[in-house]
Amino acid sequence: MNARNLVRGGLIAVTSAAVSAVFVATALPVAGQGQPARGLTRIAGKPNLNGTWQALNEANYDIEEHMASPALVLRPGPYGPVPAKEVLALGAVGSVPPGVGVVVDGPIPYTPAALAKKKENQQNWISRDPEIKCYQPGVPRATYIPQPFQIFQSEKALFFAYQYAGAARNIYLTDPGEAAVDSWMGQSYGKWEGDTLVIDVTGFNDLSWFDRAGNFHSDALHVVERYTPQGPDVLMYEATIEDKKVFTRPWKISMPLYRRLERNAKLMDFRCVEFVEELLYGAYRKKPLGD
């Protein structure tokens, strides 16, 4: 096991222990959570959001409305674009499904220079998208990356755990002040506005993307998330995004999140760091495997 996995394993162990210490003693009911009208389950007067949730959309491909495409990276063909040689062997598995988009009143308001960089990112998706290298997804991408996440809520604590890459967020319920360091997932400060959980997220680095289409941000990113129960098994998710280095004005994404209703719904282990070791470090083998 290399040093990177040792560090990661330690973080996962600490995270698991912290969650257990806070929440095992306060097992909370699942049925009827989040319903804003009759039958609402509450914790200290606030909606009970405990459970496993997942988005059902194509936003991880492209948060903006888009048509189907033969691949994420294309090259000119005799009768139109064809998949780039790096992804040609994937066939239909490497294609992009169409999506209605989650950007409210789009398009994304990039500055001219930032829009040019977005297009450059898209053409270099294979080498630049942090998802390929199993880096932390960032916010808001963690919410709609196509894997579930779990909310742990008690009277005094709030914690989000994500299946993808073991990502996690401790939601501060009192203002922690400015983030000590910039990070992939930022620093989250949560409060309630009626039945809506509002999370203010700052302290990002500039390394995460919003999707596979090259949409990006700088280290000036500021995200305000809103989770509003629409019924026992649906949350309406909104995120207002501001970054004066990249965008000309704040803009918003919106989507429903659905409760996973399987009787055995839970987060499973997806330590993709192990899956990309050959990609990242294979060339440094004493005897590289080659192509």
Side-chain angles (χ1 to χ4, degrees):
M1 181 178 291
N2 60 33
R4 185 181 180 187
N5 278 344
L6 283 171
V7 172
R8 184 172 185 78
L11 289 174
I12 291 172
V14 170
T15 296
S16 299
V19 172
S20 299
V22 173
F23 296 104
V24 164
T26 57
L28 298 166
V30 173
Q33 292 173 3
Q35 188 172 348
R38 60 186 183 280
L40 174 63
T41 303
R42 292 182 178 270
I43 300 173
K46 303 303 181 184
N48 180 354
L49 305 185
N50 279 288
T52 303
W53 304 88
Q54 189 166 352
L56 181 61
N57 57 38
E58 295 74 37
N60 193 52
Y61 285 96
D62 191 338
I63 57 176
E64 295 189 280
E65 183 176 6
H66 59 277
M67 302 300 290
S69 173
L72 283 159
V73 182
L74 303 173
R75 57 178 169 167
Y79 304 107
V82 298
K85 62 179 182 179
E86 296 88 349
V87 296
L88 181 62
L90 294 176
V93 174
S95 62
V96 178
V100 296
V102 297
V103 177
V104 178
D105 299 327
I108 297 173
Y110 281 108
T111 65
L115 180 59
K117 182 176 179 180
K118 182 269 180 187
K119 293 177 179 179
E120 182 182 303
N121 285 343
Q122 192 166 19
Q123 289 301 312
N124 293 276
W125 166 74
I126 292 176
S127 61
R128 294 189 183 181
D129 185 355
E131 182 188 2
I132 290 177
K133 299 178 178 67
C134 187
Y135 293 138
Q136 297 284 284
V139 177
R141 192 176 186 180
T143 307
Y144 50 82
I145 208 162
Q147 297 198 35
F149 68 96
Q150 188 167 357
I151 298 177
F152 297 87
Q153 177 187 355
S154 72
E155 292 187 15
K156 298 181 179 180
L158 191 59
F159 187 88
F160 284 39
Y162 300 87
Q163 180 170 283
Y164 176 80
R169 299 164 66 192
N170 178 42
I171 314 300
Y172 292 96
L173 299 181
T174 56
D175 189 351
E178 185 176 354
V181 295
D182 293 342
S183 63
W184 289 87
M185 301 299 289
Q187 176 178 274
S188 299
Y189 165 44
K191 61 182 180 180
W192 291 92
E193 294 181 359
D195 282 351
T196 297
L197 174 63
V198 181
I199 303 179
D200 193 285
V201 196
T202 55
F204 291 101
N205 62 32
D206 62 355
L207 301 175
S208 68
W209 282 9
F210 295 117
D211 55 27
R212 296 174 178 173
N215 288 302
F216 75 104
H217 61 84
S218 77
D219 57 3
L221 177 65
H222 176 205
V223 179
V224 178
E225 302 176 288
R226 300 178 67 86
Y227 298 81
T228 306
Q230 301 295 295
D233 303 316
V234 182
L235 298 175
M236 182 55 65
Y237 176 78
E238 295 181 346
T240 300
I241 296 163
E242 182 179 11
D243 186 335
K244 294 181 179 179
K245 293 182 180 180
V246 177
F247 310 115
T248 60
R249 58 173 173 80
W251 52 283
K252 183 186 295 186
I253 63 173
S254 178
M255 69 191 74
L257 303 174
Y258 301 97
R259 183 187 301 282
R260 293 289 295 262
L261 294 175
E262 301 94 326
R263 292 184 62 183
N264 60 344
K266 60 183 178 181
L267 299 191
M268 300 188 72
D269 194 9
F270 188 74
R271 298 188 186 184
C272 52
V273 169
E274 302 169 7
F275 306 155
V276 297
E277 286 185 343
E278 188 64 30
L279 170 67
L280 297 177
Y281 311 119
Y284 303 105
R285 288 179 180 272
K286 187 174 182 179
K287 294 182 179 181
L289 298 179
D291 298 330

